[in-house]
């Protein structure tokens, strides 16, 4: 939709009205293609990615994208669910990686600022939670279940899911914030997610990985059990793959 602003001189010249503030974005439905192209040619706006524009001609593209990431995602993937690594980090970008579940795309999407959106087929759960801009985010129980699936870093700095050490830290941080009773519910709900998941969506060994991680409580820490047998054999060492568990969370964990 376009509004008309009078200019000095004869008559009035049609001029689109879009956000002018620093690090703001808008989309290509605010004006016609010729109007956007003409404004870009005059240097008034620039395109960040297909369909996404900004009138901020000073800030780096990466800063603009990072500040408006979920608004952009909601336009590109309106059905997106934050899952895996991104759900574990409560919606924060982790080393340039964002992970969503959507039917809108099959291949990773590269954004300015070295941000890679890793996608997988959309799979909703009844306990998915409301997120910003009409998106949803996986519950903690689903996040634990999803992150038991192994993944490899291919087109990004890290894999789609947490690795063994990262998942251990995530569990330890949750345990410090939540306590044993709530952690017991988390483990039970996570295993329920895995048991109810269709076989075609369940990664090989996921049930086993989740059960091992949620079992014992040695070492005085409520979630300090690492997978000594399998992980140590895989790494070829005679001790746990991580020498310690942090006594404090590396980041704040919301209750």
């Amino acid at each position: 939709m376009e509004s008309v602003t009078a200019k000095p001189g004869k008559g009035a010249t049609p001029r689109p009205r879009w956000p002018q503030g620093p690090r703001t974005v808008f989309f290509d439905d605010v004006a016609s293609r010729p109007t956007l192209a003409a404004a870009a040619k005059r240097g008034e706006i620039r395109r960040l990615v297909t369909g996404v524009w900004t009138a901020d001609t000073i800030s780096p593209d990466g800063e603009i994208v990072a500040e408006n990431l979920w608004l952009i995602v909601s336009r590109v993937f309106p059905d997106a669910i934050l899952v895996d690594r991104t759900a574990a980090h409560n919606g924060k970008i982790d080393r340039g990686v964002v992970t969503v579940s959507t039917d809108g795309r099959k291949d990773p999407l590269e954004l300015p600022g070295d941000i890679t959106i890793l996608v997988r087929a959309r799979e909703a759960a009844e306990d998915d939670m409301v997120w910003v801009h009409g998106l949803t985010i996986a519950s903690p129980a689903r996040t634990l279940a999803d992150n038991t699936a192994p993944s490899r870093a291919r087109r990004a700095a890290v894999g789609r899911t947490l690795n063994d050490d990262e998942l251990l830290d995530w569990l330890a941080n949750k345990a410090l914030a939540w306590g044993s009773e709530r952690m017991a519910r988390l483990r039970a709900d996570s295993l329920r997610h895995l048991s109810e998941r269709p076989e075609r969506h369940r990664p090989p060994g996921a049930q086993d990985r989740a059960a091992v991680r949620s079992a014992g409580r040695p070492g005085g820490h409520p979630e300090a059990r690492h997978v000594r047998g399998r992980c140590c054999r895989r790494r070829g060492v005679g001790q746990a793959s991580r020498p310690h568990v942090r006594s404090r969370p590396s980041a704040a964990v919301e209750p």
Side-chain angles (χ1 to χ4, degrees):
M1 183 176 182
E2 299 182 2
S3 61
V4 177
T5 302
K7 282 188 173 182
K10 297 181 179 180
T13 302
R15 184 180 181 86
R17 186 177 299 276
W18 40 61
Q20 300 289 323
R23 295 181 296 282
T24 55
V25 299
F26 59 94
F27 303 97
D28 55 7
D29 58 356
V30 302
S32 65
R33 288 186 179 182
T35 299
L36 293 172
K41 188 175 182 179
R42 293 192 299 268
E44 297 174 357
I45 62 175
R46 55 196 174 101
R47 186 169 63 181
L48 297 171
V49 294
T50 301
V52 183
W53 300 79
T54 183
D56 183 345
T57 59
I58 299 175
S59 301
D61 290 2
E63 290 184 7
I64 300 174
V65 169
E67 187 156 325
N68 297 277
L69 176 63
W70 298 118
L71 177 59
I72 295 172
V73 170
S74 71
R75 288 290 298 228
V76 179
F77 310 120
D79 67 338
I81 306 169
L82 283 63
V83 294
D84 304 327
R85 178 174 295 275
T86 299
H89 287 281
N90 199 30
K92 295 180 181 178
I93 302 171
D94 182 18
R95 285 163 283 183
V97 170
V98 173
T99 51
V100 300
S101 173
T102 177
D103 287 334
R105 188 183 179 96
K106 294 182 178 180
D107 299 320
L109 175 63
E110 305 289 341
L111 295 177
D114 294 325
I115 297 174
T116 301
I117 299 181
L118 301 179
V119 300
R120 62 180 173 90
R122 190 175 193 275
E123 182 184 353
E126 62 180 11
D127 58 352
D128 290 338
M129 303 180 297
V130 175
W131 189 244
V132 296
H133 301 298
L135 301 172
T136 53
I137 185 172
S139 68
R142 177 184 174 179
T143 297
L144 175 56
D146 287 348
N147 276 285
T148 58
S151 65
R152 295 180 180 179
R154 291 186 176 89
R155 295 179 57 178
V158 291
R160 179 175 55 81
T161 56
L162 302 179
N163 62 32
D164 286 338
D165 290 343
E166 290 171 325
L167 187 54
L168 176 66
D169 281 346
W170 186 84
L171 283 167
N173 291 343
K174 287 292 186 187
L176 289 172
W178 286 5
S180 59
E181 183 176 344
R182 192 171 178 185
M183 286 302 296
R185 291 199 304 270
L186 173 68
R187 292 191 295 271
D189 290 343
S190 177
L191 290 173
R192 176 180 54 79
H193 268 280
L194 286 172
S195 65
E196 294 176 352
R197 190 167 298 178
E199 289 294 334
R200 65 181 182 276
H201 295 309
R202 186 183 304 159
Q207 183 83 24
D208 174 62
R209 288 162 62 90
V212 170
R213 282 190 177 82
S214 62
R217 299 167 178 265
H221 193 287
E223 294 297 327
R225 181 181 185 186
H226 209 285
V227 191
R228 291 184 61 91
R230 183 172 58 192
C231 285
C232 293
R233 284 195 299 272
R234 184 187 64 196
R235 293 170 183 252
V237 296
Q239 58 183 6
S241 57
R242 190 171 184 85
H244 67 280
V245 175
R246 294 173 183 166
S247 57
R248 292 178 180 273
S250 57
V253 178
E254 295 183 4

